[in-house]
Amino acid sequence: MSSLPAAAAQTLSLFMPPYDATIPCGLEVLSELTDVDDWKGCALVWQLTGGDQEREYAALTRKAPGLPLLVLLPPPTEVYRVLSVLPLVRLLHPRLILPFGIIDTPYRLKQVLALPPRGLANDVTQYLVRRGLLRTRRELKEFNRIMQLAPDTRSITHLSQRMYTSRRTLGRHFSNRSLPVPSHCLQFGRLLHVALQMHNDDTAVFKIAARFGYPDGFTMSNQMKRLIGYRPSEVRELLGWEWIVEAWLKQEGVI
């Protein structure tokens, strides 16, 4: 199998299930991958080579929100070729910017895509800020707190107690923002932790469900299907967390 840099010689590549190769593509793919159902589990790999980087950057600013972008830097001796675009790369909110030679096979790239964020609650919260769904400091703090408490909080009543507020007050705050109701935010947070565990652990689904307080795998599976539109067997094979957030927002009808 060719190394990743060789496979990505066309500058832009698509990395998708079954994650055994990168597929060189043109910028036109960005207009084809607009709905989360079209790009779920995929990532774009952009190799900075000193080509028409400004045009590529402009096109990438219009990619689907949530479609992960992995940026591969050129060798140190070639960095001078991309100095004009390098300061702008972070404005694209790439999943990672990787030094030359760190990723050399699709297997390693798969590991990167499956890697959960170090601070999941903060990353998901900031993601919704960029999506324009969290607009005030209170909105940000309350949603972030829900995501923090989700792994070991089973009910909205328990959540309200841990947030030192009433269920009615919390619900009113969220209804004023056109956000999913707090109970859905809570259950989505639990499911997101389940999904990321499945991406990195071959343990049976029902055992992972039990770790997060579900009575059985069937209950968790039904809730996952209801909230994001996909079953655990599908989610396990589709890496990344951004697509799961987008699938949830789509299912909730807020995007």
Side-chain angles (χ1 to χ4, degrees), residues 125-195:
T125 299
Q126 291 303 319
Y127 182 85
L128 294 191
V129 171
R130 294 196 299 272
R131 293 293 271 123
L133 297 175
L134 297 176
R135 301 181 180 89
T136 69
R137 183 175 179 83
R138 186 175 72 176
E139 293 172 5
L140 188 152
K141 289 180 64 177
E142 289 187 342
F143 182 84
N144 184 269
R145 187 58 177 155
I146 291 175
M147 291 295 106
Q148 290 175 356
L149 297 175
D152 57 357
T153 305
R154 302 185 186 185
S155 70
I156 187 63
T157 299
H158 188 201
L159 174 69
S160 300
Q161 293 171 348
R162 297 186 70 182
M163 292 182 67
Y164 303 103
T165 187
S166 70
R167 177 174 179 172
R168 179 175 298 179
T169 298
L170 192 59
R172 185 173 65 253
H173 289 174
F174 276 61
S175 66
N176 291 339
R177 307 170 193 166
S178 298
L179 290 170
V181 297
S183 60
H184 285 197
C185 293
L186 171 62
Q187 299 309 326
F188 168 74
R190 295 177 72 199
L191 291 172
L192 186 56
H193 280 275
V194 169

Side-chain angles (χ1 to χ4, degrees), residues 91-112:
L91 299 178
L92 297 173
H93 303 289
R95 168 73 80 84
L96 284 174
I97 301 175
L98 299 163
F100 179 80
I102 295 296
I103 299 297
D104 57 1
T105 65
Y107 173 75
R108 292 187 181 178
L109 187 58
K110 181 179 178 181
Q111 290 180 309
V112 168

Side-chain angles (χ1 to χ4, degrees), residues 205-207 209-210 214-223 231-232:
V205 169
F206 77 91
K207 291 185 178 179
Y214 292 94
D216 50 62
F218 183 73
T219 300
M220 186 273 289
S221 178
N222 283 344
Q223 188 172 86
R231 293 284 183 184

Side-chain angles (χ1 to χ4, degrees), residues 10 13 17 28 38 45-46 57 61 78 94 103 107 118 126 144 152 160 169 175 177 181 214 222-223 225 250 254-255:
Q10 298 300 314
S13 299
E28 65 277 1
D38 298 325
V45 180
W46 187 29
Y57 169 80
T61 62
E78 300 294 320
I103 299 297
Y107 173 75
R118 290 183 179 180
Q126 291 303 319
N144 184 269
D152 57 357
S160 300
T169 298
S175 66
R177 307 170 193 166
V181 297
Y214 292 94
N222 283 344
Q223 188 172 86
K225 177 65 175 179
K250 179 179 178 180
V254 300
I255 59 171

Side-chain angles (χ1 to χ4, degrees), residues 196-243:
L196 293 177
Q197 189 76 40
M198 290 194 299
H199 289 168
N200 294 277
D201 189 337
D202 292 332
T203 301
V205 169
F206 77 91
K207 291 185 178 179
I208 294 177
R211 293 176 189 170
F212 292 94
Y214 292 94
D216 50 62
F218 183 73
T219 300
M220 186 273 289
S221 178
N222 283 344
Q223 188 172 86
M224 183 172 284
K225 177 65 175 179
R226 184 170 62 254
L227 281 185
I228 70 172
Y230 293 90
R231 293 284 183 184
S233 58
E234 299 171 288
V235 171
R236 174 161 253 168
E237 301 303 318
L238 298 169
L239 302 180
W241 60 267
E242 298 92 339
W243 80 264

